[in-house]
Structures are given as C-alpha cells and as structure tokens.
Amino acid sequence: MTADLNPSAYDAFAQFYDAFTAASDYERWTEQVLALAARHGLAGRTLLDLACGTGNSFMPFLSRGFEVTACDASPAMLAEAASKAPGAEVVLCDISELPVLGSFDLVTCFDDSLNYLLDDEELGAAFEGMARNLRAGGLAAFDLNSLLAYRTTFAADRVSESDGTVFAWRGLGSAAAEPGSAAEARIEIFATTHRQRHFPRERVLALLAGAGLECVAVHGVLADASLDERPDESRHLKVLYTATRAEGGDA
Ligand SMILES: C[S@@+](CC[C@H](N)C(=O)[O-])C[C@H]1O[C@@H](n2cnc3c(N)ncnc32)[C@H](O)[C@@H]1O
C-alpha cells in the first residue's frame, strides 16, 4: 500500500505512528527543552503543544505537572492523543490558522511539524498564532529540519521494523537539495507522501520578528536529543529555535 504523506494522510498513519517513532526519546528531549526554557526565564506551567500528533510530544510535560492544551489537523492523530491523555485539552485545528486558545507560558511545536508548511506565508501565520497564544514574556520552542536532513534522510531509502510493522521509507529528494527547497518522502505499506520544505535560518528569524517574537537561542539537535550551542546545517539534522514574546509587545 502506498499513499501521499501530507498532513491529511496522518489519519491513515495514526495507528502506526507510535511504532514508527518508538526510538525517539521524548523524555530526554523534554528535559533538554525545559532546561533551555528555564535558562530563558520560563515561569508557569501552562503549555500549548502545536501539531501534537498522538500526544508523545506533550506527555512528558503532562507528567511534570504542566496544564496541557494541544492541537493537530489530523482527527485520527488527535484521537490517539486524547485517549492517551484525558487530562489534556485537545483541539482540532490547522497551525497556520490558530485561534486564541489561551495565554500560555510555553508554546511548543516539535518533530519537524512546521516543515509541512510549504511557504513563508504559512510559516509566518503559524508564528503569529504562537504569538497570539503566548502571554507576555512567554516562550516558544520549535524544531525545523536542517538542510542535512533533506540531503540525507529525504534523499535515501530506509527500511525499519518496529512492533511487528515494517516501514519502508523512500526519500524522493536530492542529495544536492538547495536551501529553501521542497522535498518529499514516501512510506510504503500504508504509504503516504510527506511534502515539506526547508526554512533557512534568516527566513525563520525574519518571520519570527514579523510575528512579534524575538529569537533568544538557536541550537543544533544531536541524534541523542542533546543540544549543541553551535547549530550547523551541515552537521545537525534538526535545529531548535527558542523565541520569546517581548513584554508589552503586540501579539
Ligand atoms: C511528525 S508529526 C509530530 C507529532 C508530535 N509533535 C511529535 O513530536 O510526536 C507531525 C504532525 O504535524 C501535524 N500537522 C502537519 N501539518 C499541520 C498543520 N498545518 N496544522 C496542524 N497540524 C499539522 C500532523 O497531523 C502530525 O500529527
């Protein structure tokens, strides 16, 4: 079975998602993010997790006492999240058209979800949605795939097996992918195509500024989920951005 991996295709993917990401260390990732957020003045324990998928990205926050609201555009992914975490409020919505869901201390968007937005307008709209939902002084943290990810992961085939399911990932991109270009990958068996694009750092910084958010840190993400203070798109597959909504700034 083969199909496109677009956001809507996550409905077909939902039942396989946790097996596909079984190797991801969400606990360690959360520890890293919380330590970083604490260094940048995180105060309070309300979290809005954008594109939460099956809930793995917010579960470690929930278990650390955060009050969690989360959203995703896929009803099936969201249903998995809701069944895992009845204590979280989950909302079906597109992150590029985010309503005001509250005034949060921390807004997160993890595991390359923002790369599914295919142009500057959509990414800028997502940043504006983050700003609308952050209290003054609140923090946003999100990762984006680096150019290395598009030149390697999205340009190669890989077969993996988890929980009795075999996943055949077909990277349809190019090892010479240009900055800012789009790329696709296909997962076979239930296959759906993941269409994403790369966002160069200067575009991210400009769009954050346009949304009233100030970037306070940029880190490279290493394979073991630890953070490198010298982000390098030729060495790291993901880059973690931390931004703040300035006190008294417009949302
Ligand atoms: C790779 S998963 C990440 C899920 C979760 N954050 C995690 O770390 O496990 C990407 C998620 O982004 C969601 N998504 C993609 N585009 C979206 C959009 N425009 N609005 C809301 N959710 C979106 C998909 O439905 C999917 O659940």
Side-chain angles (χ1 to χ4, degrees):
M1 179 174 152
T2 302
D4 284 345
L5 267 185
N6 293 315
S8 60
Y10 269 98
D11 282 335
F13 194 37
Q15 62 182 303
F16 303 106
Y17 186 80
D18 286 359
F20 187 67
T21 57
S24 300
D25 192 340
Y26 287 96
E27 288 290 333
R28 180 168 166 75
W29 174 251
T30 302
E31 286 297 332
Q32 301 271 333
V33 169
L34 282 176
L36 177 64
R39 285 205 294 280
H40 290 283
L42 176 67
R45 292 194 160 239
T46 55
L47 169 73
L48 174 61
D49 186 32
L50 306 181
C52 67
T54 61
N56 295 338
S57 48
F58 69 64
M59 290 298 287
F61 288 91
L62 205 57
S63 65
R64 285 163 177 76
F66 276 77
E67 195 179 308
V68 175
T69 302
C71 75
D72 200 279
S74 159
M77 293 290 274
L78 216 47
E80 295 278 339
S83 70
K84 231 178 251 178
E89 185 183 348
V90 298
V91 180
L92 181 68
C93 71
D94 191 306
I95 55 174
S96 61
E97 297 170 359
L98 199 61
V100 175
L101 297 170
S103 178
F104 295 88
D105 302 312
L106 179 62
V107 176
T108 52
C109 190
F110 292 144
D111 205 8
D112 64 27
S113 302
L114 286 169
N115 290 99
Y116 286 95
L117 305 178
L118 296 176
D119 59 40
D120 285 8
E121 287 67 33
E122 284 190 339
L123 183 61
F127 288 162
E128 285 165 16
M130 288 182 184
R132 270 197 297 283
N133 280 280
L134 277 175
R135 66 163 175 79
L139 286 172
F142 56 90
D143 65 67
L144 283 166
N145 278 334
S146 69
L147 198 52
L148 180 63
Y150 292 109
R151 289 180 173 173
T152 57
T153 312
F154 276 75
D157 295 343
R158 175 169 50 92
V159 175
S160 59
E161 197 259 328
S162 175
D163 210 13
T165 305
V166 174
F167 300 95
W169 169 282
R170 296 202 181 281
L172 304 176
S174 159
E178 292 291 329
S181 59
E184 288 187 352
R186 182 174 293 265
I187 297 178
E188 291 183 354
I189 289 177
F190 54 93
T192 42
T193 299
H194 285 260
R195 185 175 304 112
Q196 298 193 344
R197 67 159 280 196
H198 173 252
F199 287 101
R201 188 182 320 172
E202 55 276 15
R203 291 305 304 143
V204 176
L205 298 183
L207 291 166
L208 280 172
L213 296 172
E214 182 192 352
C215 184
V216 291
V218 186
H219 289 83
V221 182
L222 297 165
D224 65 356
S226 61
L227 302 179
D228 186 333
E229 291 190 346
R230 287 161 302 167
D232 180 346
E233 296 244 343
S234 67
R235 286 196 303 119
H236 303 120
L237 290 171
K238 283 194 199 308
V239 182
L240 174 71
Y241 290 85
T242 307
T244 185
R245 188 187 143 200
E247 297 279 353
D250 290 335

